[in-house]
Amino acid sequence: MRKILLKRALLGTEKSGIGPEIEESVPSGIRGLIDQIEKRTSDDSWKILLAAGTESLADQVAFHPKTESTPLSLSERSENSVIPPPVAEILLELLQVQSEALGTPFTCGSLFLLDEAVKYGGVVPDEKIPDFLRLFTASRQYKNRKERLLPFLGKTANWLGSLNSDWQWCAEGSEKAAAEMNNKDLLDLWEEGNFAERKSALISLRKTDPDQARDLLQETWKNEKADHREAFLRIFESDLKEEDTAFLTSALSDRGSGVRRAAGDLLTRLTRSEYSQRMCARTDEILFSTSDKKYRIELIEKLTPEMKKDGLEEKPPYGTGEKIWWTFQILSRTPLAYLEKKSEVNAAEFLGRYRKDDLFSVLAAGCTNSLILSGTPLSWFEPLWNIWLRVKLDILRYSVFDLRDDLLEYGIKNNIEYFRNILDHGDSFSCSTEILHLIWSALAEHEPDPRRPEFSRALVNYLRKAQWQSSLLIEFIPLLPEHDREILEEYCRPGSVICKEPPNKMRPVQRIMNLCERFEKYIKSRKETE
């Protein structure tokens, strides 16, 4: 419709009129509005302007029906329990303050408040959902936060996401619907559905009949888009099997770099495969020991055609040397269990042997990536984390090798007690503020009760160590119990000898405190009615 309106406007309505094709191109859902325009004016130029305005308004409310079916009514889409509009306004303002001050609305503190709102209130009122969706979608991090955001947004956001491509990330109904389908319906969905529906069908088929799912993907593989091929491959991560080896090996020669990388990542987890054995043989050309127990690391001198066939990328990231890049990739794809078996020592002793070598940073980064990709063995986590925690590696200059965040995420997922002990027993003071912030941000998102006394006490100690930086206060204040926030308010008031920040930096902090207090009153009232 938009192209036709533009064409008519450029040609001029005096020459072309409004034309019947405009009426034919109008989605059925807004055709009634266009009919009302026809009745109100006979001026063709006004008709075009009003029709364009109608379509623009439809865009803003995400009205893009894909079929002729009647959209669901709000009453059918709404949940019984809805957060009161004033409380939704508080949360929206808090997220906007964080977005303006930190560049993102998503912090461990704001996510905690959203969880609390769902727990004691329900979901966002329908009229407020577009505001939240626009704010969330503007942040690059929203895809990684879907599991936390969808319960807060509710079914209406799911419906809106099915109508607006910008909000498609919150249209999760297809995967749930596919899980309830029989095999025949799943096959039909795979043949006829859009990308999201086909992905959901493949996920369900992979759970019930992994061989059939793999065969179906192989049949359509050459006709799929590169980003779709990569996304389909990533589905194999949850239940990888030895029988997938041949298919994954063929994907190593794919024309898409992301697809090749995904195939290599998956093959790295199949430690008994020929692929892993080839990587082990190449690692033998990197790590050397002498009879007098001296250990050294050597770089790969040349990327052979066989290495390229195994998906190793020839061109390094900007600012990284070729040989370092090739060596890092081989170490990343070598099973850590093989290094233990070959050296006959545990992870800590193995890494200690090469500690004095000039290329130790390449080895540490490669072993770290291998652990992240394969997920095993867990015994390597603490020795590697201690390296990243306490040793300043030259390779950190290259962002492609800075794996601290990924290693931390792995540790939080698989060894969360290790980090809880750091915070609960005061070991955090041996960490740099930067590293400690990484720990806090990751741990707080997985902590079931971040306002428990031990956790909040450790958090206050951290904020004190960081000299009450305004950015940290904005991020973490919602995690603190009310009595701790009262202490912070005294510490952070303008002119305080403790607060070193200028007044303009503290204003968002005061706003966050005020919003948290108002939100806390709502939570208390809901708890009292339970």
Side-chain angles (χ1 to χ4, degrees):
M1 175 180 172
R2 186 168 298 173
K3 289 183 179 179
I4 298 173
L5 284 171
L6 181 61
K7 180 180 178 181
R8 290 293 178 217
L10 290 173
L11 290 174
T13 54
E14 292 182 1
K15 293 183 179 180
S16 60
I18 191 166
E21 59 264 63
I22 288 183
E23 295 183 2
E24 294 173 2
S25 67
V26 173
S28 59
I30 60 173
R31 193 168 293 158
L33 297 175
I34 302 297
D35 291 341
Q36 293 181 39
I37 293 173
E38 294 281 346
K39 296 175 183 178
R40 289 177 178 272
T41 178
S42 59
D43 188 326
D44 284 342
S45 61
W46 268 108
K47 287 180 182 180
I48 285 181
L49 288 173
L50 291 171
T54 303
E55 187 183 33
S56 177
L57 181 61
D59 276 346
Q60 293 182 45
V61 297
F63 191 85
H64 288 288
K66 296 179 180 179
T67 67
E68 293 298 313
S69 60
T70 304
L72 297 172
S73 67
L74 284 177
S75 60
E76 292 177 291
R77 291 186 277 109
S78 298
E79 283 83 352
N80 294 327
S81 181
V82 178
I83 298 168
V87 179
E89 288 284 359
I90 291 172
L91 291 170
L92 184 62
E93 184 179 351
L94 185 143
L95 292 164
Q96 288 171 336
V97 172
Q98 289 193 330
S99 186
E100 293 168 5
L102 305 177
T104 175
F106 303 125
T107 66
C108 46
S110 63
L111 292 171
F112 168 73
L113 292 186
L114 297 185
D115 290 344
E116 288 284 283
V118 173
K119 182 178 178 181
Y120 294 105
V123 297
V124 181
D126 289 331
E127 65 272 18
K128 297 293 181 184
I129 289 178
D131 293 329
F132 282 98
L133 283 174
R134 278 190 283 269
L135 181 65
F136 291 158
T137 307
S139 172
R140 295 179 180 179
Q141 301 166 317
Y142 70 87
K143 291 182 179 178
N144 297 328
R145 309 295 185 184
K146 287 198 300 183
E147 291 185 7
R148 300 287 288 270
L149 300 178
L150 293 177
F152 173 72
L153 294 169
K155 295 178 182 177
T156 301
N158 188 350
W159 177 76
L160 290 174
S162 67
L163 303 177
N164 186 332
S165 58
D166 291 339
W167 300 341
Q168 198 172 47
W169 60 272
C170 61
E172 292 292 301
S174 58
E175 190 169 327
K176 293 180 180 178
E180 300 173 357
M181 290 182 180
N182 58 39
N183 191 270
K184 181 181 181 301
D185 290 338
L186 287 173
L187 292 176
D188 290 341
L189 190 64
W190 171 254
E191 293 291 337
E192 303 171 3
N194 57 33
F195 168 66
E197 293 168 337
R198 296 180 70 227
K199 183 179 176 182
S200 300
L202 193 65
I203 290 172
S204 293
L205 287 168
R206 183 70 183 170
K207 292 176 181 177
T208 57
D209 191 341
D211 293 338
Q212 181 188 33
R214 184 182 61 250
D215 293 341
L216 287 171
L217 182 56
Q218 283 182 289
E219 290 174 6
T220 64
W221 185 254
K222 292 183 179 179
N223 298 324
E224 306 288 355
K225 296 179 180 179
D227 57 336
H228 291 182
R229 293 198 301 275
E230 181 181 355
F232 288 143
L233 265 192
R234 295 292 180 187
I235 293 173
F236 286 52
E237 291 176 354
S238 60
D239 191 20
L240 192 62
K241 300 183 180 299
E242 294 290 340
E243 291 78 9
D244 299 323
T245 303
F247 173 52
L248 296 175
T249 301
S250 67
L252 290 172
S253 58
D254 193 273
R255 59 185 181 274
S257 60
V259 180
R260 297 194 300 271
R261 192 178 307 112
D265 291 350
L266 292 168
L267 285 167
T268 300
R269 299 173 60 183
L270 297 172
T271 56
R272 298 180 182 178
S273 66
E274 293 182 1
Y275 179 87
S276 288
Q277 292 174 17
R278 291 194 295 272
M279 291 300 171
C280 291
R282 289 161 186 156
T283 296
D284 290 341
E285 301 175 7
I286 296 171
L287 305 177
F288 293 91
S289 62
T290 60
S291 56
D292 56 350
K293 294 186 177 181
K294 290 185 178 179
Y295 301 91
R296 72 179 192 276
I297 305 166
E298 293 189 2
L299 299 176
I300 292 294
E301 291 293 328
K302 182 180 179 182
L303 194 70
T304 64
E306 290 74 19
M307 293 178 184
K308 293 180 183 179
K309 287 181 181 178
D310 279 339
L312 297 185
E313 298 177 15
E314 182 175 12
K315 188 176 180 181
Y318 177 78
T320 306
E322 287 183 337
K323 295 178 182 178
I324 287 179
W325 176 236
W326 302 335
T327 303
F328 166 74
Q329 290 182 85
I330 291 172
L331 291 169
S332 295
R333 308 247 183 250
T334 302
L336 297 177
Y338 172 76
L339 300 180
E340 286 186 334
K341 182 179 179 181
K342 178 186 176 183
S343 62
E344 299 182 340
V345 295
N346 61 30
E349 292 181 72
F350 173 83
L351 293 166
R353 287 179 173 182
Y354 296 92
R355 179 65 189 88
K356 295 182 180 180
D357 193 282
D358 292 340
L359 296 172
F360 175 70
S361 54
V362 181
L363 175 64
C367 290
T368 300
N369 206 32
S370 177
L371 177 62
I372 293 166
L373 293 176
S374 65
T376 58
L378 181 60
S379 58
W380 279 73
F381 169 72
E382 286 192 37
L384 286 170
W385 177 252
N386 285 332
I387 289 171
W388 288 99
L389 184 64
R390 306 183 189 282
V391 180
K392 187 175 181 180
L393 301 177
D394 291 338
I395 207 158
L396 284 177
R397 291 179 297 157
Y398 308 111
S399 59
V400 69
F401 298 124
D402 190 352
L403 300 166
R404 290 175 304 172
D405 289 11
D406 294 328
L407 182 61
L408 177 60
E409 183 179 344
Y410 170 89
I412 291 289
K413 182 179 179 181
N414 296 281
N415 196 12
I416 193 169
E417 288 304 320
Y418 172 80
F419 293 101
R420 284 182 177 150
N421 288 334
I422 286 179
L423 299 176
D424 288 347
H425 295 98
D427 296 338
S428 58
F429 286 97
S430 64
C431 307
S432 69
T433 303
E434 178 189 8
I435 293 291
L436 196 53
H437 180 259
L438 288 175
I439 295 175
W440 266 109
S441 299
L443 183 58
E445 287 193 31
H446 294 79
E447 176 60 45
D449 183 15
R451 288 183 175 175
R452 63 186 174 91
E454 298 86 356
F455 196 85
S456 60
R457 191 183 307 120
L459 178 53
V460 169
N461 288 336
Y462 165 58
L463 293 172
R464 184 181 291 115
K465 178 185 178 183
Q467 298 182 339
W468 312 101
Q469 294 176 26
S470 58
S471 59
L472 299 181
L473 293 173
I474 291 170
E475 181 172 352
F476 290 115
I477 276 176
L479 297 180
L480 295 176
E482 190 174 358
H483 58 82
D484 283 334
R485 288 205 301 273
E486 290 175 359
I487 297 172
L488 287 177
E489 190 168 3
E490 176 65 23
Y491 284 162
C492 300
R493 61 181 172 80
S496 169
V497 293
I498 296 176
C499 177
K500 307 298 182 183
E501 300 267 26
N504 64 316
K505 281 196 172 184
M506 298 310 296
R507 289 191 192 103
V509 175
Q510 296 294 341
R511 287 179 67 188
I512 292 289
M513 286 185 175
N514 179 263
L515 291 166
C516 286
E517 182 180 352
R518 290 163 60 191
F519 180 77
E520 200 71 38
K521 289 180 180 178
Y522 161 71
I523 294 296
K524 280 185 178 180
S525 65
R526 294 307 297 256
K527 287 182 178 179
E528 289 171 357
T529 59
E530 289 183 345

